[in-house]
């Protein structure tokens, strides 16, 4: 999740080795407006995704950054709710973990 980190906050951190990332943020979040987009852009940079390509729009409302190092998946997904509602994407989250090689049962 975007967890309330702005682009400015994230710039104080070093990038980890490329890893799969799925950021969720509700577009009507007025408390942390745009933080999800800012966080996903930071992860796309850290995952060495292609900056010359637009993120690919997916059917579930997510966008996938393209050309990321090591083929890691880097997603940004916007839900319809506000700050207090969790993005209604449970199946998408589970599918992401399965694609990343985690079964959710002890990792």
């Amino acid at each position: 999740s975007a967890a309330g980190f702005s682009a400015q906050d994230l710039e104080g951190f070093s990038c980890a080795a490329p890893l799969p990332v799925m950021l969720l943020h509700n577009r009507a979040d007025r408390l942390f407006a745009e933080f999800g987009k800012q966080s996903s852009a930071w992860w796309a940079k850290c995952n060495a995704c292609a900056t010359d390509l637009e993120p690919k729009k997916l059917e579930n409302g997510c966008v996938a950054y393209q050309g990321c190092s090591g083929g890691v998946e880097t997603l940004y997904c916007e839900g319809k709710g506000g700050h207090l509602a969790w993005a209604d994407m449970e199946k998408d989250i589970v599918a992401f973990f399965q694609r990343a090689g985690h079964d959710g049962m002890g990792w």
Side-chain angles (χ1 to χ4, degrees), residues 82-98:
H83 178 71
L84 297 177
W86 182 254
D88 186 23
M89 301 190 74
E90 293 84 3
K91 291 179 183 178
D92 298 292
I93 295 166
V94 170
F96 170 78
F97 281 119
Q98 289 172 334

